[in-house]
Amino acid sequence: MTNSALTVSGLRKAYKDKVVLDGIDLDVPAGTIFSLLGPNGAGKTTTVNVLTTLIKADGGTARVAGHDVATDAKAVRAAIGVTGQFAAVDELLTGRENLQLMVDLSPVPATDGKRIVDDLLERFELVESAGKPASTYSGGMRRKLDLAMTLVGSPQIIFLDEPTTGLDPRSRRTMWTIIRDLVADGVTVFLTTQYLEEADQLADRIAVLDQGRIVAQGTADELKRQIPGTHVRLRFATADQLDAAARVLADATRDDDGLSLRVPGDGGTRSLRLLLDRLDEYALAAEELSVHTPDLDDVFLALTGRQTETEVAR
Ligand SMILES: Nc1ncnc2c1ncn2[C@@H]1O[C@H](COP(=O)(O)OP(=O)(O)OP(=O)(O)O)[C@@H](O)[C@H]1O
Ligand SMILES: [Mg+2]
């Protein structure tokens, strides 16, 4: 039997008549990375807030580190660390002072405090900026400081709510390395993200959240098997053109609203040339061509038949 770091059963939460969590079940084995993947408004932060005892659920149960979040909030808090979507960093304090503040607030003995702060500054490559106010930090440095602050009390379970949203690719990779190192040390990580790639890179298991329900759960490979692979999207100027192209390209899937076809293929120059030649033969021309690798939007479309709001807005 595996040891669960957290288990959630039938979790529900509504604000007035708006149902935000509609019966969520989760089981996260200790020492693994679990990712809750979903678009804006799916209920990720609400789930994290319930699991970290910031808000109370209306129904269902959740146990974190063996303690019930509703009846034993204090024990849960002692076992966890939380890095929120909106960072807890105090802008006016320096990096070192922010960390020292966490030491002062935690049960860590003061004699160990300085060593812990120094270790964390080192580990997060913040030594040089340790004496500068956090207001002068870049977004990536702030996220790192925020995560370092979370680690002061050596929590067993860490909640990371969209830890890399808004970071550039390099800072994102640094953050991924830090997260992997945490798990190598035996910590359990519960991570929310809007990026399939991030969940893919980090998570042992992924749950896809949509409008307060888990619509799929599994490893990254299991999820990807449910979605279309790399494909080429062709957009046409008129419905007639779309019709004609759909007849020529028999293996394509059509999207009538978007006047477009989704053609399976690797997106390489050779296959693109063949595709365009084929359209040429029938005197057809696409308004727009794009090569598409699977992302959260594809997972969504495949699982729910809908697109995420970001995709619709594009
Ligand atoms: N305090 C609140 N009062 C009313 N509605 C709320 C409250 N908190 C969240 N909601 C609603 O619950 C839904 C889920 O919100 P939540 O913040 O959990 O989503 P999310 O998945 O974290 O989204 P994002 O990716 O934008 O952070 C949203 O529709 C939101 O408007
Ligand atoms: Mg959120």
Side-chain angles (χ1 to χ4, degrees):
M1 210 179 87
T2 55
N3 200 355
S4 292
L6 68 89
T7 53
V8 173
S9 172
L11 205 64
R12 308 182 69 81
K13 177 75 190 176
Y15 288 107
K16 299 223 172 79
D17 55 357
K18 180 172 171 53
V19 177
V20 177
L21 300 180
D22 193 8
I24 292 206
D25 301 314
L26 299 171
D27 184 5
V28 179
T32 65
I33 307 188
F34 182 86
S35 177
L36 195 59
L37 177 70
N40 290 134
K44 301 182 296 296
T45 298
T46 306
T47 305
V48 169
N49 286 348
V50 170
L51 296 179
T52 57
T53 77
L54 282 175
I55 60 171
K56 284 206 179 304
D58 301 331
T61 56
R63 296 182 78 79
V64 175
H67 310 289
D68 190 308
V69 294
T71 60
D72 212 355
K74 207 167 160 220
V76 170
R77 281 185 212 142
I80 64 171
V82 186
T83 303
Q85 188 169 14
F86 304 102
V89 172
D90 186 326
E91 302 272 313
L92 297 177
L93 300 181
T94 66
R96 179 179 291 282
E97 287 164 346
N98 267 291
L99 284 165
Q100 187 58 49
L101 184 65
M102 296 308 285
V103 168
D104 297 343
L105 292 173
S106 78
V108 170
T111 44
D112 294 342
K114 177 155 179 0
R115 181 185 50 79
I116 292 173
V117 169
D118 284 337
D119 283 354
L120 286 167
L121 287 170
E122 183 90 26
R123 186 158 156 201
F124 286 81
E125 299 168 343
L126 290 170
V127 175
E128 273 174 39
S129 359
K132 295 184 188 136
S135 55
T136 64
Y137 285 20
S138 71
M141 288 161 72
R142 210 167 301 197
R143 290 291 174 98
K144 285 201 280 189
L145 177 59
D146 198 14
L147 181 49
M149 288 163 66
T150 308
L151 298 184
V152 163
S154 306
Q156 303 163 41
I157 306 174
I158 294 172
F159 292 85
L160 301 172
D161 195 6
E162 300 196 29
T164 69
T165 297
L167 296 190
D168 65 34
R170 191 179 159 276
S171 307
R172 173 168 296 165
R173 281 179 191 278
T174 307
M175 194 57 107
W176 288 354
T177 307
I178 290 170
I179 294 170
R180 286 195 190 100
D181 289 348
L182 288 176
V183 177
D185 289 344
V187 170
T188 306
V189 174
F190 186 100
L191 163 111
T192 76
T193 183
Q194 302 192 27
Y195 308 115
L196 176 65
E197 191 203 356
E198 180 157 293
D200 190 4
Q201 284 285 329
L202 292 177
D204 296 295
R205 284 185 72 76
I206 301 168
V208 183
L209 187 65
D210 175 40
Q211 298 185 334
R213 288 172 198 259
I214 303 287
V215 293
Q217 225 178 133
T219 63
D221 282 342
E222 283 164 0
L223 289 182
K224 280 194 278 187
R225 255 177 254 140
Q226 302 181 34
I227 60 178
T230 302
H231 61 267
V232 176
R233 185 176 294 178
L234 296 169
R235 192 169 58 75
F236 295 91
T238 66
D240 286 346
Q241 288 262 318
L242 174 67
D243 281 340
R247 279 194 296 274
V248 173
L249 305 168
D251 57 348
T253 321
R254 52 192 291 168
D255 164 14
D256 285 288
D257 295 335
L259 287 181
S260 60
L261 286 179
R262 181 193 281 258
V263 189
D266 60 8
T269 48
R270 216 181 125 74
S271 60
L272 286 179
R273 188 171 297 127
L274 285 170
L275 180 61
L276 294 178
D277 284 349
R278 183 128 176 82
L279 289 175
D280 250 2
E281 255 177 66
Y282 292 85
L284 290 164
E287 283 281 293
E288 190 183 295
L289 176 153
S290 54
V291 177
H292 214 73
T293 45
D295 57 17
L296 177 59
D297 297 313
D298 299 290
V299 178
F300 254 74
L301 192 60
L303 293 171
T304 67
R306 287 185 292 108
Q307 290 179 319
T308 62
E309 281 165 42
T310 40
E311 179 75 358
V312 172
R314 258 180 222 165

